[in-house]
Amino acid sequence: MNFISPIFTHTQVQQCLVDTPAAAGNCAIETHDLTIYYGDFCAVRDINLHVELRKITAFIGPSGCGKSTVLRAFNRMNDLIPSARVEGAVLFGGQNIYAPTVDAVEVRRRVGMVFQKPNPFPKSIYENVAWGARINGYRGNLDELVERTLRHAALWDEVKDKLQQSALALSGGQQQRLCIARAIAIEPEIILMDEPASALDPIATLRIEELMRTLAQDYTIIVVTHNMQQAARVSDYTAFFMVDENRAGYMVEQGHTREIFTNPKDKRTEDYITGRFG
Amino acid sequence: MTRAHFDPRTLHRHRAAGIWSTLFLGAIIIAIVALGALLYDIVDESFGLVAIENRIDPASLARDGMPLETLDKAQLVEILTGHISAGLLRRLENDLPFEERDRANVYALVLERVVEPKIVKTWSLTDSLTNRAAIEAEVLAEYPQARLEFHAWINSTFIQSPQSSSPEFAGVRTAILGSLWTIVITIAVAFPIGVGAAIYLEEYASDTLVNRVIQTNINNLAGVPSILYGMLGLAIFVRGLEPLTSGAWLGAGDPTTANGRTVLSAGLTLALLVLPLLIINAQEAIKAVPASLRQASYGLGATRWQTIWHHVLPNALPGILTGTILAISRAIGETAPLVVVGASAFVALDPSGPFSKFTTLPIQIYQWTTRPQDQYRNLAAAAILVLLVLLLSLNAAAILLRNRYRRQG
């Protein structure tokens, strides 16, 4: 059953108010009883979380706990998997993005995504950045947009002399920063990052993390990571996920990263973070 | 140097690997030998000695001590009128008046109609090279009038001449043009339909029973005997759509034939034949486009069509073109369905458009091999060489195109 109208229940509003001092106005995205199935298999169940505006939120948890599934629900990427089915609601700007009147294409335009493996288009560097803007009907000067975006992604100095060369000739870390540049070129409000540094070496990882901190001034970032130090280093908020006995993922708790890592409310979080399992 | 053995089983494993690689090498050698034998056979028939007898000795046609080759046009016309029947003369005059023909043309007519060289016996290339003395003796004994000369059956005249009832003058020009016309229509029809169907099946169709039935049927159609496509083509294009395929609807029909047995029917029939092949190959190419690319595109807010047009198709194009190469190869060598659709046995006029009568190279080859005279076997061998060259050059063009797109990607 789809949650159609974007109505806040009393408790949910309260929860939002309790957890975030600046109230609901700072919620970039939130979910209500989000449950996702792949065919008959329930991948995640009853997720109720919210994401702060212009902050970095990290999703952590053991493999198979549905972090990526939840992340992909935020820009309806799960629609591409024919067997996927979503129940509950994902509220983005107060609007349930799974309402029948909402076009997934519009959602993805406003909620960008960076994937685990760098996946630049097999085109020129310039074209990688410009393409998204062009297909979305960008009317301004593309050259300016490309330069501004690449500067923003801290990639301009490295690639300014080879904009017309193939993006595939870049190193893995550069490719991933290009993918981030590509995502911000269409000026989304939220950037989803699915283990963006897991395929990179520590130095490239560091650069990605620095970039994320810079981008957090303008964008809301949600990052899935297996690397706890990374979550501790870059994120402002953390949500911890677990798998239940039916292999369905659920959220254990969420809160300020400092709190989660130093003083978790839940025993399971503490066990996971201290490396007792997982 | 003795080899150290840390593990005594390694040697045994290497030996097993050696046996397999020898077997695979054997498979390649068998294939190469078979191909070599085929090529040898064709080339062997395409060149060789021939014994030629003239009906009239050119020396006897000399005027005032001047040999035939040096006579001017007026004298040649005179010889022609003196030696051929009035009916034939009138027909030649009808084709093109003698005043308008140049000297070379009249000279060719004199050779063809008056001197009338006739190939009385042919030898294969191997015989010609190894057995020359015996052949010379045989010619001297059996054909005292004949002269022996080395003849390349595949030559510029052979390629430029239309079909003819005498093997000395027969060529493959009409068949080459017929094949080219047919293949152009085939690809023009089959490529867009095939790629479109593949895009639908891969990108749009959901996994329903109906779509699965369609998919299975396409796979099975690729294995249907080609003669059945010929019958289908005969029923639909030649008979059913006769007003269209004969050109009557467009007022462009050839009044002498005015039926559906045209280049267009042949092209459409072959298009049906190669369609499953094209669809399956295009589907495989589209499937091979990495999912990460599609996700990247969708993630930027691209619509399904923008994703297909900007990313899926450009990346699948090399694979689609490979499939097209296979389709061209299949279509250009296809004979059976064209016999049913109505390839003409004898066409001396170049096909001028989609509504012309047609013959194609494989049909021509088939017809020549069924004739009793030895000379047609040599002509068939030469035509096979032409077909191979045509096939290779069409494929080379497609491969060049494919490589261009691959570099861009």
Side-chain angles (χ1 to χ4, degrees):
Chain A
M1 194 193 86
N2 270 354
F3 189 102
I4 293 172
S5 65
I7 299 169
F8 291 76
T9 61
H10 180 64
T11 49
Q12 279 157 350
V13 174
Q14 261 193 338
Q15 205 180 354
C16 207
L17 288 171
V18 169
D19 288 354
T20 61
N26 276 352
C27 264
I29 209 161
E30 59 187 314
T31 67
H32 294 301
D33 298 327
L34 180 69
T35 302
I36 302 170
Y37 297 91
Y38 292 125
D40 293 329
F41 170 64
C42 177
V44 291
R45 60 174 169 81
D46 303 327
I47 306 284
N48 286 294
L49 61 75
H50 66 267
V51 173
E52 282 292 297
L53 202 62
R54 291 199 201 89
K55 298 285 181 206
I56 300 179
T57 303
F59 287 0
I60 60 169
S63 293
C65 68
K67 313 179 289 287
S68 294
T69 301
V70 172
L71 189 79
R72 294 161 63 90
F74 291 167
N75 69 344
R76 291 186 59 170
M77 276 313 244
N78 288 327
D79 290 18
L80 301 180
I81 304 165
S83 65
R85 192 157 48 83
V86 175
E87 286 176 7
V90 175
L91 300 189
F92 172 53
Q95 167 71 44
N96 180 12
I97 61 169
Y98 282 94
T101 50
V102 173
D103 185 351
V105 169
E106 258 174 77
V107 173
R108 296 189 197 119
R109 188 356 235 112
R110 294 175 62 187
V111 183
M113 187 152 193
V114 176
F115 298 85
Q116 183 171 0
K117 245 183 92 201
N119 58 350
F121 298 128
K123 296 171 183 277
S124 70
I125 293 169
Y126 181 95
E127 201 51 36
N128 261 280
V129 180
W131 189 76
R134 193 180 294 141
I135 58 150
N136 280 299
Y138 182 74
R139 298 230 171 271
N141 185 334
L142 274 177
D143 292 352
E144 275 172 26
L145 174 82
V146 170
E147 180 175 346
R148 193 172 68 235
T149 309
L150 285 172
R151 278 188 194 283
H152 207 154
L155 195 60
W156 175 252
D157 290 333
E158 291 160 65
V159 301
K160 64 182 175 198
D161 298 323
K162 46 181 180 181
L163 288 177
Q164 294 309 324
Q165 287 178 23
S166 169
L168 299 178
L170 296 173
S171 74
Q174 289 174 324
Q175 286 190 12
Q176 193 63 304
R177 275 181 285 144
L178 180 65
C179 289
I180 294 173
R182 180 176 69 184
I184 60 177
I186 54 171
E187 288 169 4
E189 284 144 66
I190 301 176
I191 305 171
L192 309 175
M193 297 190 178
D194 191 355
E195 301 185 44
S198 66
L200 305 178
D201 67 66
I203 307 217
T205 302
L206 196 66
R207 303 208 58 176
I208 298 280
E209 287 175 11
E210 282 168 4
L211 176 58
M212 285 165 70
R213 292 282 6 147
T214 323
L215 292 177
Q217 293 163 10
D218 304 302
Y219 302 96
T220 305
I221 295 176
I222 308 173
V223 56
V224 165
T225 178
H226 269 125
N227 181 337
M228 293 257 243
Q229 288 87 352
Q230 185 173 60
R233 276 194 304 265
V234 299
S235 69
D236 302 299
Y237 294 88
T238 298
F240 173 60
F241 290 76
M242 278 281 288
V243 197
D244 68 10
E245 58 279 7
N246 296 324
R247 294 196 295 129
Y250 63 99
M251 193 181 76
V252 177
E253 65 174 305
Q254 71 169 135
H256 284 286
T257 299
R258 218 178 324 106
E259 295 277 306
I260 294 273
F261 275 85
T262 56
N263 186 22
K265 294 190 201 84
D266 199 291
K267 178 79 169 60
R268 291 166 294 185
T269 317
E270 190 184 336
D271 287 350
Y272 185 74
I273 283 167
T274 53
R276 217 158 289 163
F277 78 97
Chain B
M1 200 178 86
T2 53
R3 281 177 60 174
H5 288 294
F6 298 107
D7 181 353
R9 281 168 302 175
T10 322
L11 206 62
H12 177 73
R13 280 155 62 205
H14 279 312
R15 203 176 297 134
I19 292 170
W20 280 110
S21 79
T22 315
L23 280 177
F24 297 145
L25 183 66
I28 282 289
I29 290 173
I30 291 173
I32 290 176
V33 166
L35 197 63
L38 175 76
L39 277 177
Y40 166 76
D41 202 36
I42 296 168
V43 172
D44 198 35
E45 291 282 329
S46 302
F47 302 90
L49 288 169
V50 292
I52 301 172
E53 254 177 14
N54 295 329
R55 194 168 64 92
I56 291 172
D57 186 7
S60 70
L61 294 172
R63 290 282 166 95
D64 317 324
M66 301 273 279
L68 185 64
E69 302 91 78
T70 56
L71 297 181
D72 62 21
K73 184 182 154 191
Q75 290 169 306
L76 287 171
V77 173
E78 212 173 293
I79 292 175
L80 201 59
T81 32
H83 284 87
I84 61 176
S85 69
L88 180 58
L89 198 65
R90 214 167 28 248
R91 215 179 77 208
L92 291 174
E93 181 80 32
N94 255 345
D95 285 348
L96 192 69
F98 281 104
E99 294 90 72
E100 289 172 30
R101 292 176 189 254
D102 58 9
R103 186 196 167 271
N105 184 294
V106 180
Y107 182 70
L109 274 180
V110 170
L111 280 189
E112 185 185 338
R113 302 291 179 181
V114 183
V115 177
E116 227 176 279
K118 194 165 172 337
I119 295 173
V120 285
K121 194 164 167 70
T122 68
W123 289 270
S124 70
L125 182 61
T126 324
D127 271 354
S128 310
L129 294 178
T130 58
N131 230 354
R132 177 104 195 198
I135 294 171
E136 274 171 1
E138 188 189 341
V139 171
L140 217 57
E142 288 181 32
Y143 311 102
Q145 302 295 315
R147 72 199 136 85
L148 193 64
E149 63 180 44
F150 190 83
H151 187 69
W153 289 93
I154 177 164
N155 54 40
S156 57
T157 333
F158 176 70
I159 289 164
Q160 288 165 12
S161 313
Q163 168 73 295
S164 161
S165 54
S166 60
E168 292 77 12
F169 300 101
V172 284
R173 179 199 171 97
T174 37
I176 292 175
L177 289 170
S179 272
L180 286 176
W181 266 108
T182 315
I183 215 76
V184 164
I185 291 174
T186 302
I187 294 305
V189 174
F191 186 81
I193 297 180
V195 175
I199 290 174
Y200 178 79
L201 287 172
E202 281 304 313
E203 299 286 330
Y204 289 94
S206 48
D207 191 23
T208 60
L209 186 67
V210 178
N211 287 327
R212 249 178 285 163
V213 168
I214 291 175
Q215 182 70 58
T216 313
N217 274 307
I218 289 173
N219 294 345
N220 287 335
L221 278 175
V224 167
S226 58
I227 190 95
L228 296 185
Y229 283 98
M231 295 184 173
L232 188 70
L234 179 68
I236 298 179
F237 301 125
V238 178
R239 298 272 157 73
L241 297 174
E242 188 180 324
L244 173 72
T245 50
S246 67
W249 274 354
L250 298 169
D254 181 348
T256 58
T257 52
N259 63 30
R261 307 182 157 217
T262 55
V263 172
L264 183 61
S265 290
L268 291 174
T269 306
L270 290 182
L272 279 188
L273 178 78
V274 299
L275 206 47
L277 201 69
L278 254 170
I279 294 176
I280 292 171
N281 275 297
Q283 272 186 288
E284 290 303 320
I286 290 171
K287 257 188 219 148
V289 175
S292 64
L293 213 59
R294 286 196 183 82
Q295 291 186 345
S297 173
Y298 283 125
L300 286 174
T303 61
R304 191 187 292 243
W305 173 242
Q306 284 171 327
T307 303
I308 293 172
W309 180 250
H310 290 278
H311 298 294
V312 176
L313 279 185
N315 282 282
L317 200 57
I320 293 175
L321 286 176
T322 306
T324 312
I325 293 170
L326 290 175
I328 291 176
S329 309
R330 172 92 196 263
I332 206 168
E334 205 50 76
T335 323
L338 297 185
V339 172
V340 182
V341 168
S344 303
F346 189 94
V347 184
L349 282 174
D350 293 347
S352 57
F355 306 117
S356 306
K357 290 190 293 185
F358 74 101
T359 188
T360 65
L361 273 170
I363 299 270
Q364 188 76 79
I365 292 164
Y366 169 69
Q367 279 162 356
W368 276 340
T369 54
T370 55
R371 302 235 183 141
Q373 298 97 318
D374 274 352
Q375 296 90 317
Y376 283 108
R377 277 219 312 276
N378 300 91
L379 286 177
I384 290 172
L385 279 184
V386 173
L387 178 60
L388 285 180
V389 169
L390 190 67
L391 184 60
L392 290 180
S393 37
L394 281 175
N395 282 357
I399 288 169
L400 284 178
L401 198 66
R402 180 181 71 187
N403 290 351
R404 235 189 71 197
Y405 281 109
R406 206 168 260 171
R407 254 202 309 283
Q408 279 177 356

